[in-house]
Amino acid sequence: MTRDCIRIRGARQNNLKSLDLDLSLNEFIVITGVSGSGKSSLAFDTIYAEGQRRYIETFSPYARQFLDRMDKPQTDSIEGIPPSIAIDQTNPVRTSRSTVGTMTEINDHLKLLFARISTLYCKNCGDEVSKDTPEGIYQTLNKELLNKQDQTPRVAITFTVIIPKNFSQNEIEGYLSVQGYTQIYSKTSQKIEVIQDRLRFNDSNRARILEALEVAVQHGRGHLTVRFLDDSDQIFKFSSHLHCATCDVSYDQPIPNSFSFNSALGACESCRGFGRTMGIDHQLVIPDENKTLLDGAIKPLQSKSYQKRHKKFISLAEEKKIPVDIPWNQMEPEHHKWIWNGDGSEKKGMWYGLDRFFSWLEKKSYRMHIRMLLSKYRSYDLCIDCCGSRLKADSLLWRLGTLSDANKVVFVKDRFRHPVIKCNKNKFSSMPGLTLHDLMMLPISSVDDFFLL
Ligand SMILES: [Zn+2]
Ligand SMILES: [Zn+2]
């Protein structure tokens, strides 16, 4: 008995006539046949049903009661069958954004996974961004003490109050002192830095420090500052929000839909979650570069309905001293540029350029024959904003795993790690872990490796 094939013996489901069959694993297998010959009985009612049935049997009896159970298919035996997924030919929710991931609910699981356990990295500095807790702040400051001569320096824990419009500085100071806050560290006409507590940083003060941190972050609407009152004058800023203190950038707490390209929350705004944008393919517009402008190098202007435009174009080109009788590939780059960009509007008797010609057609694309015409010159380009990942840049800052975890599973280094975002390419590809898109692009065998790490 070999382990790398599915062995079906005596399949009699529906109209199957005691079929014996071996199917290799890890291969793409197509079942064909005339209508009624039993293709679906074999694929869905036998193979899928048995794979699903055995998979569900691995769950506890309690979990099993919530799952759809399938009848045992009629066969003598089926061996070597893995858990199965079926994409039904009658799946009702299919849009142009659908993928195998969305149709099998794998994406639903992935977006939950990312919303729960992924880590955020700052888009500016690439450092991990996490919420600061009083305990975490205490630990950070404690580590800082190791570098100091005075191991129990005095510190001030402060929070900042923004002075609202229609209030004066004096009024706000009055309110603060009513609440017991009389010590001000600094003030401007816009804000007041209030001292929550001033004390020695040592273990015996631990409880008092934690309490001060807790209260200061509340009054500071999620932000607080700790100042060392020694020679170092060190200042530490903390936040209970997702906030990179180094770069002063705030991030939103994600929800599962932040990781879905089917949702406005997660989808890249430039391509609306399609991962590609439509444009005009220059090679289709000028298919034969050996042709001259006179011979009709520009294909869309050769149709009968645009003959007048073509004539006008040729005369404008001649006025501009652009050679109309040499092959396209021997013309100067600035001549090509003029042909694509033009130099003014048609009304002023100038050449509007092929780019504007196509956007003008685009506006008329409600007409069938214009749509047909445009479709001949369309190109589908990778979206430059999301590099095809379909997700918003902020969603791609959330990652799973470390840099070495990611590099271990990526068999061609950096091939699946998403560069993302034009400006900071290098920082992004050296960020730890995998984005949701990276994970979706991994071969199935590597996905296993990644999660077992
Ligand atoms: Zn940062
Ligand atoms: Zn995009």
Side-chain angles (χ1 to χ4, degrees):
M1 189 174 70
T2 151
R3 291 193 72 198
D4 45 14
C5 81
I6 302 171
R7 280 162 64 94
I8 303 164
R9 293 293 173 266
R12 292 180 305 279
Q13 187 69 30
N14 305 337
N15 49 352
L16 297 176
K17 302 269 183 317
S18 192
L19 188 68
D20 292 346
L21 191 63
D22 287 358
L23 296 171
S24 316
L25 290 177
N26 304 315
E27 276 181 21
F28 190 72
I29 298 172
V30 179
I31 303 170
T32 62
V34 295
S35 168
S37 58
K39 302 179 295 292
S40 300
S41 297
L42 177 64
F44 293 113
D45 302 335
T46 306
I47 301 171
Y48 168 65
E50 182 66 5
Q52 186 71 359
R53 195 182 67 82
R54 290 205 201 167
Y55 175 55
I56 287 172
E57 270 180 16
T58 64
F59 289 91
S60 68
Y62 174 75
R64 258 182 265 166
Q65 62 181 325
F66 300 109
L67 299 166
D68 284 340
R69 302 185 68 177
M70 307 196 86
D71 291 335
K72 190 171 164 53
Q74 295 195 337
T75 57
D76 293 338
S77 71
I78 299 183
E79 291 162 4
I81 194 158
S84 53
I85 291 172
I87 302 170
D88 206 305
Q89 50 198 347
T90 57
N91 195 321
V93 278
R94 190 156 55 186
T95 69
S96 43
R97 286 194 192 83
S98 296
T99 65
V100 173
T102 59
M103 291 172 68
T104 54
E105 297 175 357
I106 289 174
N107 275 45
D108 293 326
H109 297 304
L110 284 180
K111 69 186 193 192
L112 282 175
L113 185 74
F114 267 76
R116 293 282 155 77
I117 64 165
S118 61
T119 306
L120 173 66
Y121 296 90
C122 174
K123 60 183 159 198
N124 267 338
C125 64
D127 284 348
E128 186 178 328
V129 179
S130 57
K131 294 177 182 177
D132 291 319
T133 60
E135 184 58 49
I137 297 172
Y138 187 86
Q139 301 297 344
T140 307
L141 295 172
N142 223 354
K143 268 187 215 146
E144 204 55 42
L145 294 182
L146 298 174
N147 310 321
K148 290 189 177 292
Q149 274 200 329
D150 178 3
Q151 299 271 304
T152 60
R154 286 180 66 75
V155 295
I157 296 167
T158 69
F159 60 89
T160 300
V161 175
I162 308 287
I163 298 170
K165 276 180 194 160
N166 312 328
F167 282 88
S168 72
Q169 204 183 43
N170 279 344
E171 282 173 297
I172 297 301
E173 277 186 63
Y175 290 129
L176 284 164
S177 83
V178 169
Q179 292 177 54
Y181 290 107
T182 49
Q183 297 184 60
I184 304 295
Y185 185 86
S186 67
K187 54 188 172 187
T188 65
S189 55
Q190 283 103 36
K191 53 190 182 183
I192 303 176
E193 188 177 342
V194 186
I195 297 180
Q196 172 67 41
D197 205 349
R198 201 188 325 228
L199 73 176
R200 277 205 185 275
F201 196 99
N202 58 28
D203 266 351
S204 57
N205 274 339
R206 189 171 181 275
R208 189 172 143 196
I209 294 169
L210 288 178
E211 197 199 326
L213 293 170
E214 181 100 50
V215 180
V217 86
Q218 270 173 26
H219 288 308
R221 296 197 174 179
H223 299 275
L224 70 85
T225 305
V226 177
R227 297 174 176 274
F228 278 95
L229 304 173
D230 56 7
D231 298 339
S232 71
D233 279 336
Q234 274 177 301
I235 300 169
F236 292 88
K237 288 182 182 292
F238 297 99
S239 169
S240 64
H241 301 310
L242 287 166
H243 177 255
C244 176
T246 320
C247 310
D248 195 19
V249 181
S250 293
Y251 296 91
D252 290 331
Q253 181 66 37
I255 60 167
N257 271 349
S258 314
F259 299 103
S260 166
F261 48 76
N262 275 325
S263 154
L265 276 171
C268 164
E269 277 159 1
S270 306
C271 62
R272 286 179 297 139
F274 288 97
R276 52 181 203 179
T277 48
M278 283 194 302
I280 295 299
D281 187 332
H282 287 202
Q283 274 183 343
L284 295 173
V285 178
I286 295 127
D288 183 355
E289 298 204 345
N290 293 312
K291 277 193 178 173
T292 67
L293 292 180
L294 269 181
D295 292 344
I298 299 168
K299 196 175 164 204
L301 293 184
Q302 305 315 308
S303 75
K304 259 199 177 149
S305 38
Y306 295 126
Q307 261 177 7
K308 260 169 102 180
R309 285 181 181 278
H310 191 243
K311 256 189 160 166
K312 181 78 187 161
F313 162 67
I314 294 290
S315 72
L316 288 169
E318 281 171 334
E319 266 174 43
K320 266 267 170 191
K321 305 262 182 296
I322 286 175
V324 295
D325 53 357
I326 65 168
W328 175 271
N329 54 17
Q330 286 169 31
M331 290 169 72
E332 298 296 326
E334 65 256 37
H335 295 154
H336 290 163
K337 210 173 147 195
W338 178 81
I339 292 164
W340 279 102
N341 299 347
D343 49 13
S345 72
E346 189 174 22
K347 278 183 203 147
K348 291 184 188 153
M350 294 158 110
W351 171 237
Y352 39 85
L354 287 175
D355 278 336
R356 244 186 287 179
F357 171 67
F358 278 108
S359 17
W360 172 75
L361 286 177
E362 208 73 62
K363 283 187 200 138
K364 295 182 170 294
S365 63
Y366 56 88
R367 290 162 76 174
M368 189 58 176
H369 72 278
I370 303 270
R371 267 210 305 284
M372 298 273 286
L373 176 81
L374 277 169
S375 72
K376 287 186 200 160
Y377 302 105
R378 276 249 193 275
S379 68
Y380 293 94
D381 308 311
L382 201 68
C383 171
I384 51 164
D385 283 322
C386 65
C387 306
S389 74
R390 302 162 151 230
L391 292 166
K392 278 188 182 148
D394 272 9
S395 305
L396 296 165
L397 298 170
W398 291 86
R399 289 158 184 251
L400 282 182
T402 64
L403 185 61
S404 67
D405 287 347
N407 285 338
K408 256 181 244 165
V409 291
V410 177
F411 56 84
V412 184
K413 232 187 182 179
D414 276 4
R415 179 169 157 197
F416 295 99
R417 286 169 50 70
H418 206 261
V420 192
I421 305 184
K422 296 159 275 179
C423 51
N424 237 334
K425 209 169 170 175
N426 290 332
K427 265 195 183 125
F428 274 83
S429 53
S430 62
M431 267 187 189
L434 299 182
T435 66
L436 181 72
H437 179 71
D438 295 330
L439 205 58
M440 289 199 292
M441 299 302 286
L442 281 183
I444 289 194
S445 53
S446 296
V447 172
D448 246 16
D449 291 348
F450 187 71
F451 282 108
L452 291 175
L453 284 166

